[in-house]
Amino acid sequence: EFILLGFSDRKELQVLFFTTFLLAYVLVLLSNILIIVTVWTDPKLSSPMYFLLCNLSFIDICCTSVISPRMMVGLLTQRKTIVFEACIAQLFFLHFTGASEMFLLTVMAYDRYTAICKPLHYTTIMSRRMCWALVSACWAGGFLHSLVHTLLTVQLPFCGPNTIDSYFCDVPLVIQLACTDISGSELLIASNSGLISLVCFLVLVTSYIFILVTVRVRFNEGYWKVISTCGSHLVVVTLLFVPCILMYLHPSSAFSTNRHICMSYTIFSPMMNPLIYTMRNKEVKASMCKLWKRCR
Protein backbone atom coordinates (compact mmCIF):
# COMPACT_ATOMS: atom_id res chain seq x y z
CA GLU A 1 0.00 0.00 0.00
CA PHE A 2 0.90 3.64 -0.57
CA ILE A 3 -0.26 6.52 1.61
CA LEU A 4 -1.54 9.60 -0.22
CA LEU A 5 -1.11 12.63 2.02
CA GLY A 6 -3.66 14.66 0.05
CA PHE A 7 -4.14 18.37 0.69
CA SER A 8 -4.52 18.90 4.43
CA ASP A 9 -5.17 17.11 7.71
CA ARG A 10 -7.52 19.85 8.93
CA LYS A 11 -11.12 18.64 8.75
CA GLU A 12 -12.64 22.03 7.87
CA LEU A 13 -10.25 22.41 4.95
CA GLN A 14 -10.98 18.89 3.76
CA VAL A 15 -14.72 19.70 3.68
CA LEU A 16 -13.97 22.84 1.67
CA PHE A 17 -11.76 20.94 -0.78
CA PHE A 18 -14.37 18.17 -1.13
CA THR A 19 -17.14 20.65 -1.92
CA THR A 20 -15.00 22.55 -4.44
CA PHE A 21 -13.78 19.45 -6.26
CA LEU A 22 -17.25 17.87 -6.26
CA LEU A 23 -18.70 20.95 -7.95
CA ALA A 24 -15.84 21.00 -10.45
CA TYR A 25 -16.28 17.29 -11.23
CA VAL A 26 -20.04 17.60 -11.69
CA LEU A 27 -19.51 20.62 -13.95
CA VAL A 28 -17.02 18.68 -16.09
CA LEU A 29 -19.37 15.69 -16.40
CA LEU A 30 -22.55 17.64 -17.18
CA SER A 31 -20.98 20.10 -19.61
CA ASN A 32 -19.09 17.46 -21.58
CA ILE A 33 -22.03 15.06 -21.72
CA LEU A 34 -24.20 17.92 -22.97
CA ILE A 35 -21.64 18.70 -25.69
CA ILE A 36 -21.46 15.06 -26.81
CA VAL A 37 -25.26 14.69 -26.95
CA THR A 38 -25.63 18.00 -28.78
CA VAL A 39 -23.06 17.16 -31.45
CA TRP A 40 -24.37 13.64 -32.06
CA THR A 41 -28.04 14.69 -32.29
CA ASP A 42 -27.65 17.71 -34.57
CA PRO A 43 -26.81 16.89 -38.23
CA LYS A 44 -25.60 20.47 -38.73
CA LEU A 45 -22.69 19.81 -36.37
CA SER A 46 -21.06 17.24 -38.62
CA SER A 47 -17.90 19.11 -39.61
CA PRO A 48 -14.48 17.78 -38.54
CA MET A 49 -14.18 20.53 -35.91
CA TYR A 50 -17.24 19.30 -34.01
CA PHE A 51 -16.19 15.69 -34.39
CA LEU A 52 -12.89 16.55 -32.71
CA LEU A 53 -14.62 18.64 -30.03
CA CYS A 54 -16.86 15.68 -29.24
CA ASN A 55 -13.81 13.46 -28.79
CA LEU A 56 -12.18 16.10 -26.59
CA SER A 57 -15.24 16.10 -24.34
CA PHE A 58 -15.09 12.31 -24.02
CA ILE A 59 -11.38 12.41 -23.13
CA ASP A 60 -12.01 15.13 -20.54
CA ILE A 61 -14.64 12.94 -18.86
CA CYS A 62 -12.25 10.00 -18.78
CA CYS A 63 -9.27 12.07 -17.62
CA THR A 64 -11.01 13.77 -14.70
CA SER A 65 -12.71 10.51 -13.67
CA VAL A 66 -9.32 8.87 -13.18
CA ILE A 67 -8.42 11.20 -10.28
CA SER A 68 -11.41 13.12 -8.91
CA PRO A 69 -13.60 10.28 -7.49
CA ARG A 70 -10.70 8.64 -5.64
CA MET A 71 -9.51 12.01 -4.36
CA MET A 72 -12.98 12.97 -3.07
CA VAL A 73 -13.42 9.61 -1.34
CA GLY A 74 -10.15 10.23 0.47
CA LEU A 75 -11.29 13.68 1.57
CA LEU A 76 -14.66 12.41 2.77
CA THR A 77 -13.65 9.19 4.54
CA GLN A 78 -10.13 10.09 5.68
CA ARG A 79 -8.95 6.93 3.89
CA LYS A 80 -5.52 7.87 2.59
CA THR A 81 -4.15 4.47 1.57
CA ILE A 82 -4.16 3.05 -1.94
CA VAL A 83 -3.05 -0.45 -2.87
CA PHE A 84 -0.18 -0.87 -5.31
CA GLU A 85 -2.39 -2.26 -8.11
CA ALA A 86 -4.86 0.64 -7.85
CA CYS A 87 -1.99 3.11 -7.83
CA ILE A 88 -0.50 1.63 -11.00
CA ALA A 89 -3.95 1.57 -12.66
CA GLN A 90 -4.45 5.24 -11.83
CA LEU A 91 -1.01 6.05 -13.17
CA PHE A 92 -1.68 4.15 -16.39
CA PHE A 93 -5.07 5.69 -17.18
CA LEU A 94 -3.91 9.19 -16.20
CA HIS A 95 -1.10 9.09 -18.76
CA PHE A 96 -3.28 7.26 -21.31
CA THR A 97 -6.00 9.92 -21.28
CA GLY A 98 -3.63 12.84 -20.66
CA ALA A 99 -1.31 12.06 -23.58
CA SER A 100 -4.30 11.32 -25.84
CA GLU A 101 -5.72 14.76 -24.98
CA MET A 102 -2.42 16.46 -25.81
CA PHE A 103 -2.28 14.74 -29.19
CA LEU A 104 -5.94 15.57 -29.86
CA LEU A 105 -5.46 19.26 -29.02
CA THR A 106 -2.57 19.29 -31.51
CA VAL A 107 -4.81 17.71 -34.16
CA MET A 108 -7.50 20.30 -33.42
CA ALA A 109 -4.98 23.09 -33.93
CA TYR A 110 -4.00 21.52 -37.27
CA ASP A 111 -7.69 21.34 -38.21
CA ARG A 112 -8.16 25.08 -37.53
CA TYR A 113 -4.92 25.87 -39.39
CA THR A 114 -6.13 23.90 -42.43
CA ALA A 115 -9.59 25.50 -42.36
CA ILE A 116 -8.24 29.07 -42.22
CA CYS A 117 -4.95 28.86 -44.10
CA LYS A 118 -5.96 26.29 -46.75
CA PRO A 119 -9.75 26.66 -47.10
CA LEU A 120 -9.94 25.35 -50.68
CA HIS A 121 -8.32 22.04 -49.70
CA TYR A 122 -9.96 21.71 -46.28
CA THR A 123 -12.65 19.17 -47.18
CA THR A 124 -10.11 17.04 -49.00
CA ILE A 125 -7.48 17.12 -46.26
CA MET A 126 -9.85 16.76 -43.27
CA SER A 127 -12.14 14.09 -44.65
CA ARG A 128 -14.17 11.88 -42.32
CA ARG A 129 -11.75 9.03 -42.91
CA MET A 130 -8.79 11.27 -42.05
CA CYS A 131 -10.53 12.47 -38.87
CA TRP A 132 -11.07 8.90 -37.67
CA ALA A 133 -7.46 8.07 -38.51
CA LEU A 134 -6.14 11.09 -36.57
CA VAL A 135 -8.31 10.38 -33.52
CA SER A 136 -7.29 6.71 -33.57
CA ALA A 137 -3.65 7.77 -33.77
CA CYS A 138 -4.18 10.03 -30.73
CA TRP A 139 -5.55 7.15 -28.66
CA ALA A 140 -2.86 4.75 -29.89
CA GLY A 141 -0.12 7.27 -29.10
CA GLY A 142 -1.56 7.82 -25.64
CA PHE A 143 -1.70 4.07 -25.01
CA LEU A 144 1.91 3.49 -26.06
CA HIS A 145 3.10 6.46 -24.03
CA SER A 146 1.28 5.22 -20.93
CA LEU A 147 2.43 1.65 -21.43
CA VAL A 148 6.08 2.74 -21.37
CA HIS A 149 5.61 4.62 -18.11
CA THR A 150 3.67 1.79 -16.51
CA LEU A 151 6.25 -0.87 -17.42
CA LEU A 152 8.97 1.46 -16.18
CA THR A 153 7.27 1.79 -12.80
CA VAL A 154 6.16 -1.79 -12.10
CA GLN A 155 9.64 -3.24 -12.65
CA LEU A 156 11.15 -1.06 -9.89
CA PRO A 157 11.66 -2.57 -6.41
CA PHE A 158 9.60 -0.97 -3.61
CA CYS A 159 10.76 -1.97 -0.16
CA GLY A 160 11.03 1.18 1.94
CA PRO A 161 9.02 4.43 2.19
CA ASN A 162 5.41 4.29 1.03
CA THR A 163 4.23 7.90 1.53
CA ILE A 164 3.28 9.95 -1.56
CA ASP A 165 3.08 13.66 -0.86
CA SER A 166 0.19 14.28 -3.24
CA TYR A 167 -3.45 13.36 -3.88
CA PHE A 168 -2.87 10.90 -6.73
CA CYS A 169 -0.30 8.46 -8.11
CA ASP A 170 2.01 9.68 -10.85
CA VAL A 171 5.29 8.40 -12.23
CA PRO A 172 7.61 11.09 -10.76
CA LEU A 173 5.97 10.62 -7.35
CA VAL A 174 5.98 6.83 -7.26
CA ILE A 175 9.51 6.20 -8.54
CA GLN A 176 10.89 8.39 -5.75
CA LEU A 177 9.92 5.55 -3.38
CA ALA A 178 11.89 2.89 -5.27
CA CYS A 179 14.79 1.17 -3.50
CA THR A 180 17.22 1.67 -6.36
CA ASP A 181 18.92 4.33 -8.45
CA ILE A 182 16.25 6.11 -10.51
CA SER A 183 18.45 8.43 -12.60
CA GLY A 184 17.80 6.36 -15.70
CA SER A 185 14.06 6.35 -15.01
CA GLU A 186 14.05 10.13 -14.61
CA LEU A 187 15.82 10.49 -17.94
CA LEU A 188 13.20 8.30 -19.62
CA ILE A 189 10.41 10.36 -18.05
CA ALA A 190 11.97 13.57 -19.37
CA SER A 191 12.43 12.11 -22.86
CA ASN A 192 8.91 10.65 -22.92
CA SER A 193 6.40 12.87 -21.09
CA GLY A 194 8.54 16.00 -21.02
CA LEU A 195 9.40 16.11 -24.70
CA ILE A 196 5.86 15.12 -25.76
CA SER A 197 4.43 18.00 -23.73
CA LEU A 198 7.00 20.46 -25.05
CA VAL A 199 6.75 19.46 -28.72
CA CYS A 200 2.93 19.45 -28.72
CA PHE A 201 2.88 22.85 -27.01
CA LEU A 202 5.30 24.34 -29.55
CA VAL A 203 3.27 22.91 -32.44
CA LEU A 204 0.08 24.42 -30.99
CA VAL A 205 1.64 27.85 -30.51
CA THR A 206 3.13 27.76 -34.01
CA SER A 207 -0.21 26.86 -35.59
CA TYR A 208 -1.94 29.75 -33.83
CA ILE A 209 0.78 32.14 -35.00
CA PHE A 210 0.27 30.99 -38.61
CA ILE A 211 -3.49 31.45 -38.20
CA LEU A 212 -3.09 35.00 -36.89
CA VAL A 213 -0.65 35.94 -39.66
CA THR A 214 -2.91 34.48 -42.35
CA VAL A 215 -6.01 36.26 -41.06
CA ARG A 216 -4.12 39.55 -40.77
CA VAL A 217 -2.86 39.33 -44.36
CA ARG A 218 -5.91 37.90 -46.17
CA PHE A 219 -8.89 39.30 -44.30
CA ASN A 220 -9.81 42.84 -43.34
CA GLU A 221 -12.51 41.89 -40.84
CA GLY A 222 -12.61 39.49 -37.94
CA TYR A 223 -8.97 39.84 -36.95
CA TRP A 224 -9.66 40.88 -33.37
CA LYS A 225 -12.26 38.13 -33.02
CA VAL A 226 -9.64 35.59 -34.11
CA ILE A 227 -7.17 37.07 -31.62
CA SER A 228 -9.76 36.68 -28.85
CA THR A 229 -10.48 33.08 -29.81
CA CYS A 230 -6.83 32.09 -30.18
CA GLY A 231 -5.96 33.89 -26.95
CA SER A 232 -8.58 32.01 -24.94
CA HIS A 233 -7.46 28.73 -26.49
CA LEU A 234 -3.85 29.46 -25.59
CA VAL A 235 -4.84 30.15 -21.98
CA VAL A 236 -6.41 26.69 -21.67
CA VAL A 237 -3.53 25.06 -23.54
CA THR A 238 -1.06 26.77 -21.22
CA LEU A 239 -2.94 25.47 -18.15
CA LEU A 240 -2.48 21.94 -19.46
CA PHE A 241 0.94 21.94 -21.10
CA VAL A 242 3.15 24.25 -19.04
CA PRO A 243 2.58 22.40 -15.73
CA CYS A 244 3.25 19.10 -17.51
CA ILE A 245 6.47 20.50 -18.97
CA LEU A 246 7.55 21.63 -15.49
CA MET A 247 6.60 18.30 -13.91
CA TYR A 248 8.17 15.96 -16.43
CA LEU A 249 10.95 17.82 -18.20
CA HIS A 250 12.65 18.91 -14.97
CA PRO A 251 14.00 16.39 -12.45
CA SER A 252 11.02 14.89 -10.65
CA SER A 253 12.26 15.94 -7.22
CA ALA A 254 11.98 19.62 -8.16
CA PHE A 255 8.20 19.71 -8.51
CA SER A 256 6.95 16.42 -7.09
CA THR A 257 5.35 18.01 -4.02
CA ASN A 258 3.81 21.07 -5.69
CA ARG A 259 0.10 20.26 -5.66
CA HIS A 260 -0.84 23.56 -7.26
CA ILE A 261 0.99 22.63 -10.45
CA CYS A 262 -0.77 19.26 -10.55
CA MET A 263 -4.22 20.78 -9.91
CA SER A 264 -4.01 23.00 -12.98
CA TYR A 265 -3.88 20.08 -15.43
CA THR A 266 -5.79 17.40 -13.49
CA ILE A 267 -8.77 19.48 -12.32
CA PHE A 268 -8.99 22.98 -13.80
CA SER A 269 -7.98 22.27 -17.40
CA PRO A 270 -10.76 19.67 -18.01
CA MET A 271 -13.21 22.14 -16.46
CA MET A 272 -12.12 24.98 -18.77
CA ASN A 273 -12.08 23.03 -22.04
CA PRO A 274 -15.89 22.95 -22.54
CA LEU A 275 -16.25 26.62 -21.65
CA ILE A 276 -13.52 27.85 -23.99
CA TYR A 277 -13.63 25.44 -26.93
CA THR A 278 -17.37 24.84 -27.23
CA MET A 279 -19.67 27.00 -25.12
CA ARG A 280 -18.48 30.19 -26.89
CA ASN A 281 -19.50 28.73 -30.26
CA LYS A 282 -22.77 30.21 -31.57
CA GLU A 283 -23.72 27.10 -33.56
CA VAL A 284 -23.27 24.84 -30.55
CA LYS A 285 -25.27 27.16 -28.29
CA ALA A 286 -28.08 27.31 -30.88
CA SER A 287 -28.11 23.50 -31.11
CA MET A 288 -28.23 23.24 -27.32
CA CYS A 289 -31.26 25.53 -27.25
CA LYS A 290 -33.00 23.35 -29.85
CA LEU A 291 -32.15 20.23 -27.86
CA TRP A 292 -33.53 21.81 -24.70
CA LYS A 293 -36.80 22.74 -26.45
CA ARG A 294 -37.19 19.18 -27.80
CA CYS A 295 -36.64 17.70 -24.35
CA ARG A 296 -39.17 19.95 -22.61
Side-chain angles (χ1 to χ4, degrees):
E1 287 184 336
F2 292 119
I3 299 174
L4 298 172
L5 296 184
F7 293 95
S8 174
D9 291 328
R10 296 173 59 184
K11 190 172 182 180
E12 60 272 17
L13 287 179
Q14 289 182 340
V15 173
L16 176 62
F17 285 133
F18 174 81
T19 305
T20 303
F21 295 143
L22 177 62
L23 291 174
Y25 183 56
V26 171
L27 178 62
V28 170
L29 289 182
L30 293 181
S31 59
N32 283 294
I33 290 174
L34 177 60
I35 290 169
I36 292 173
V37 172
T38 301
V39 171
W40 281 102
T41 56
D42 193 341
K44 293 182 180 179
L45 304 179
S46 58
S47 67
M49 179 181 70
Y50 297 114
F51 174 75
L52 297 175
L53 285 173
C54 190
N55 280 275
L56 178 65
S57 294
F58 178 71
I59 290 180
D60 276 335
I61 291 175
C62 297
C63 188
T64 192
S65 296
V66 172
I67 293 178
S68 294
R70 175 64 183 76
M71 175 184 62
M72 290 187 291
V73 168
L75 289 170
L76 193 63
T77 63
Q78 307 295 317
R79 184 174 177 270
K80 297 181 179 294
T81 59
I82 182 171
V83 297
F84 179 78
E85 291 80 6
C87 184
I88 295 300
Q90 188 180 64
L91 181 153
F92 172 81
F93 287 107
L94 173 65
H95 280 269
F96 181 23
T97 56
S100 299
E101 180 168 357
M102 288 185 178
F103 294 141
L104 183 61
L105 287 171
T106 307
V107 169
M108 289 172 62
Y110 174 72
D111 171 72
R112 291 299 83 207
Y113 163 79
T114 307
I116 295 174
C117 300
K118 299 181 179 180
L120 298 178
H121 303 283
Y122 177 68
T123 54
T124 303
I125 297 174
M126 296 301 295
S127 63
R128 176 65 65 169
R129 183 176 180 181
M130 176 59 70
C131 288
W132 277 108
L134 290 173
V135 170
S136 300
C138 291
W139 283 104
F143 177 79
L144 292 175
H145 161 81
S146 182
L147 185 64
V148 170
H149 275 328
T150 304
L151 294 177
L152 164 72
T153 306
V154 296
Q155 56 87 28
L156 293 174
F158 296 95
C159 54
N162 66 337
T163 302
I164 299 176
D165 191 12
S166 186
Y167 56 93
F168 68 105
C169 291
D170 197 4
V171 179
L173 307 173
V174 175
I175 67 171
Q176 292 292 318
L177 307 178
C179 307
T180 185
D181 179 33
I182 60 169
S183 57
S185 300
E186 288 185 332
L187 181 61
L188 185 57
I189 291 173
S191 61
N192 192 356
S193 292
L195 286 180
I196 285 176
S197 304
L198 181 61
V199 171
C200 289
F201 181 67
L202 293 177
V203 170
L204 279 163
V205 173
T206 303
S207 67
Y208 284 127
I209 292 174
F210 274 113
I211 289 172
L212 291 174
V213 171
T214 301
V215 172
R216 184 65 182 267
V217 172
R218 295 183 183 179
F219 306 102
N220 295 323
E221 299 179 357
Y223 180 66
W224 293 108
K225 182 179 179 181
V226 172
I227 288 181
S228 174
T229 302
C230 290
S232 59
H233 287 188
L234 282 175
V235 169
V236 178
V237 165
T238 301
L239 280 175
L240 173 64
F241 282 91
V242 172
C244 290
I245 293 171
L246 293 175
M247 281 288 296
Y248 300 114
L249 201 57
H250 282 258
S252 59
S253 58
F255 292 95
S256 61
T257 59
N258 198 323
R259 298 174 183 85
H260 302 291
I261 291 179
C262 300
M263 286 173 60
S264 65
Y265 66 86
T266 58
I267 297 173
F268 295 120
S269 180
M271 186 172 60
M272 294 294 293
N273 279 342
L275 300 176
I276 298 300
Y277 279 100
T278 309
M279 297 301 184
R280 299 178 65 196
N281 188 296
K282 292 182 179 179
E283 291 183 348
V284 174
K285 288 191 288 187
S287 297
M288 287 181 178
C289 291
K290 292 179 182 178
L291 180 64
W292 171 254
K293 291 178 182 179
R294 289 202 303 265
C295 295
R296 290 179 62 181

